[in-house]
Amino acid sequence: MKLISRYLFELTLILNTLTIVCSCSHNKNIKNPDLTNSNDSVTISRPYSGEPRNVTFLPYWVANAQFAGYYVAKEKGIYKKYGININIIPNVPFVTSTDLIKEGKVDFAALWLVNAVELKAKGVDIVNITQPSSRSSAMLITKKKSGINTLQDMNGKRAGIWTGFELQPKALFNKYNLDVEVVPIGSSNNLFLMDGVEIVIANWFDEYHSIINSGYDPDELNVFFFSDYGLNFLEDGIYCLS
């Protein structure tokens, strides 16, 4: 029940934030609501009676349980209830959400903080309007049989890292002066499973369990959460251009 309550809270937070942004863009004279004021909080949670705003939203990956809340809310008509006519853009191979948001081709996009930081560094005027998660689920995984049981053991090894998500692991390697060869990978864990790399990046809720389902027991693996090493770069924030 606690897990269900957390997801309901996150969904409500996202809906309220999108409602604020859409409402403000309709009327330039409306002040940004003060969310510390209880009256404003009640107002934005009421059903919207004005003209619906058409918006586009792009998750950064294919439709799966990770983004279930967005799709369920659309099917249940929750967005329309609050004045949002949302079009959830399907994932297109080799086209990233960072590309589309910086080019203004989508109104909102789900991004990792590391991707948003890179966009900001390139001069893209991007803002985070809501952040459902408070702790990074990203990690590095090694097999105990490889002898890599500490960060220092990674020195001189090879790590399979998703293309476009190199900033966080590279920051970790630099922080601890590790010479690790970064090998670009897609969404598959096959290179790690076949011992093509000794280290692989993963999310706890996704790739980690895929590796477990491939036949490994948890006690056969070592996990290194980035958040445990001062690199708590959050995932799944909702971003738009300012």
Side-chain angles (χ1 to χ4, degrees):
M1 290 300 294
K2 289 183 178 179
L3 184 61
I4 294 174
S5 298
R6 180 172 68 85
Y7 282 131
L8 287 174
F9 169 76
E10 292 176 357
L11 178 58
T12 302
L13 177 63
I14 292 169
L15 287 170
N16 281 341
T17 306
L18 288 175
T19 303
I20 295 168
V21 175
C22 294
S23 298
C24 290
S25 63
H26 267 297
N27 188 342
K28 301 299 182 181
N29 296 321
I30 298 177
K31 295 182 179 180
N32 290 330
D34 180 4
L35 296 183
T36 61
N37 184 296
S38 60
N39 291 330
D40 285 333
S41 298
V42 172
T43 300
I44 63 174
S45 65
R46 292 174 181 168
Y48 183 72
S49 58
E51 187 70 21
R53 164 82 187 278
N54 294 323
V55 302
T56 52
F57 171 67
L58 178 67
Y60 58 81
W61 194 231
V62 296
N64 58 27
Q66 180 181 356
F67 305 118
Y70 304 123
Y71 295 99
V72 171
K74 181 177 181 180
E75 291 298 317
K76 295 291 185 180
I78 298 176
Y79 295 111
K80 288 187 177 180
K81 179 180 179 181
Y82 292 95
I84 302 171
N85 184 22
I86 192 168
N87 179 21
I88 302 178
I89 307 297
N91 178 264
V92 178
F94 308 111
V95 178
T96 66
S97 54
T98 53
D99 290 334
L100 295 182
I101 192 72
K102 74 179 180 182
E103 294 169 3
K105 294 182 178 179
V106 293
D107 298 307
F108 303 96
L111 298 175
W112 282 30
L113 177 59
V114 291
N115 302 124
V117 168
E118 289 177 322
L119 285 177
K120 199 75 172 180
K122 294 176 181 177
V124 180
D125 197 6
I126 192 171
V127 293
N128 180 315
I129 61 170
T130 190
Q131 183 62 56
S133 62
S134 60
R135 185 177 187 273
S136 173
S137 69
M139 62 171 74
L140 295 176
I141 300 177
T142 67
K143 301 170 187 173
K144 289 184 178 179
K145 68 179 183 180
S146 71
I148 304 175
N149 299 310
T150 67
L151 282 182
Q152 287 67 33
D153 294 333
M154 295 183 184
N155 201 45
K157 305 300 183 181
R158 300 199 303 167
I161 305 297
W162 303 315
T163 301
F165 294 86
E166 300 90 351
L167 181 61
Q168 196 170 14
K170 284 186 175 180
L172 178 69
F173 301 148
N174 290 336
K175 181 177 181 179
Y176 290 91
N177 298 313
L178 301 175
D179 181 17
V180 178
E181 180 184 351
V182 173
V183 179
I185 62 172
S187 59
S188 172
N189 299 312
N190 289 343
L191 196 60
F192 175 72
L193 295 173
M194 298 174 66
D195 296 325
V197 293
E198 298 91 350
I199 310 159
V200 71
I201 192 171
N203 277 318
W204 178 84
F205 57 80
D206 191 343
E207 292 81 10
Y208 171 78
H209 288 87
S210 294
I211 293 172
I212 298 299
N213 290 335
S214 297
Y216 281 88
D217 291 327
D219 59 7
E220 294 180 292
L221 303 172
N222 292 312
V223 297
F224 303 86
F225 281 97
F226 290 104
S227 58
D228 291 336
Y229 297 93
L231 295 168
N232 189 34
F233 295 176
L234 304 179
E235 304 96 13
D236 293 9
I238 306 299
Y239 293 83
C240 66
L241 297 178
S242 63

